Amino acid sequence: MPDYVIAPPAIAALPIKGSNAMFPVRRIFCVGRNYAEHAIEMGSDPTREPPFYFAKPADAVVISDADMPYPTVTKSLHHEMELVVAIGTGGSNIAIADALKHVWGYCSGLDMTRRDIQNEAKKTGRPWDMGKGFDKSAPMGLLIPAEGFDPSKGKIELRVNGKVTQTSDLSKLIWSVPEVIANLSELVELAPGDLIMTGTPEGVAAVVRGDLLEGFVEGVGTVTTRIV
Ligand code: MN
């Protein structure tokens, strides 16, 4: 190991259900507008435009059940409930038919969004980074191994303070999990440890301090966080 002039950063990692081992996180990629009803609520046309991506830093992960601090410089913190794919084997130009072989596992996650900052960025043609990639913007649940889970269907739901705000099904993804992996692997070389947040269904809304967010994806598990 080289001598570093400052301490190297800690490795962000996700806990795994039923194991003491952790999954190290390399990068977090997120798919924009991947459910038609959400595209419509955001004022977009839900036709099958090519998928597009933004990113969060690996250390934006908030480990399952931990509190999420309300971020600075926003008056509109939105929840986006999503299926998260954890890449175990990297690759470039991955074929759709081979894509699921690259998946180590899945978890439930929240793509928390400073919507006011994102909307301003859209208006001015600026990057989304500060609307999406801020500190602790990605609460995630326990990771489950991929074996036996079929990401082509399954209920996805979020409750805020016990009330359902988002409910849909993975079968409504405009770009399926294998299609997203294949497409993203043309843009970057995917690597072990990469996470892909696959997009949110309709029903996104603002949360406030004290709110309890409880999401789940059928067959995967839950993500829970309280905004503090
Ligand atoms: Mn999202």
Side-chain angles (χ1 to χ4, degrees):
M1 201 157 102
D3 256 346
Y4 293 110
V5 294
I6 57 169
I11 294 173
L14 291 178
I16 295 161
K17 191 177 180 183
S19 169
N20 290 325
M22 304 280 283
F23 182 89
V25 178
R26 185 170 187 266
R27 298 174 288 189
I28 306 174
F29 297 105
C30 307
V31 186
R33 294 192 286 261
N34 203 17
Y35 289 82
E37 293 301 320
H38 174 63
I40 291 167
E41 77 180 349
M42 291 285 100
S44 291
D45 177 357
T47 50
R48 202 168 135 105
E49 60 175 345
F52 71 94
Y53 306 92
F54 54 91
K56 293 175 188 271
D59 66 0
V61 165
V62 176
I63 304 278
S64 64
D65 294 1
D67 292 341
M68 178 190 168
Y70 196 95
T72 57
V73 203
T74 185
K75 292 186 169 65
S76 184
L77 175 65
H78 271 210
H79 57 69
E80 296 193 357
M81 178 63 206
E82 313 201 358
L83 171 69
V84 182
V85 176
I87 297 294
T89 311
S92 295
N93 301 309
I94 296 168
I96 292 171
D98 295 332
L100 293 184
K101 295 179 202 153
H102 292 259
V103 177
W104 190 91
Y106 299 92
C107 69
S108 289
L110 288 160
D111 167 17
M112 299 303 290
T113 301
R114 295 197 279 210
R115 192 71 75 200
D116 42 1
I117 293 179
Q118 184 201 23
N119 285 343
E120 186 62 26
K122 284 182 184 174
K123 247 186 274 168
T124 53
R126 290 180 182 157
W128 287 11
D129 299 44
M130 292 301 116
K132 288 290 196 177
F134 53 94
D135 298 339
K136 299 188 185 297
S137 57
M140 305 242 175
L142 297 176
L143 199 61
I144 60 148
E147 292 78 45
F149 177 67
D150 170 8
S152 71
K153 58 183 190 311
K155 190 175 184 179
I156 179 169
E157 190 165 275
L158 181 72
R159 289 166 193 257
V160 179
N161 303 324
K163 186 167 166 270
V164 174
T165 55
Q166 293 190 267
T167 185
S168 188
D169 195 279
L170 299 177
S171 60
K172 294 184 179 171
L173 280 166
I174 295 171
W175 294 90
S176 69
V177 170
E179 287 171 336
V180 165
I181 292 168
N183 180 268
L184 182 56
S185 77
E186 293 175 11
L187 292 160
V188 293
E189 181 178 352
L190 288 175
D194 288 340
L195 302 180
I196 306 172
M197 305 193 77
T198 56
T200 194
E202 66 275 20
V204 299
V207 294
V208 296
R209 284 186 184 85
D211 282 350
L212 179 66
L213 280 60
E214 299 171 291
F216 85 93
V217 176
E218 184 182 356
V220 172
T222 58
V223 55
T224 303
T225 192
R226 189 179 290 278
I227 309 298
V228 297

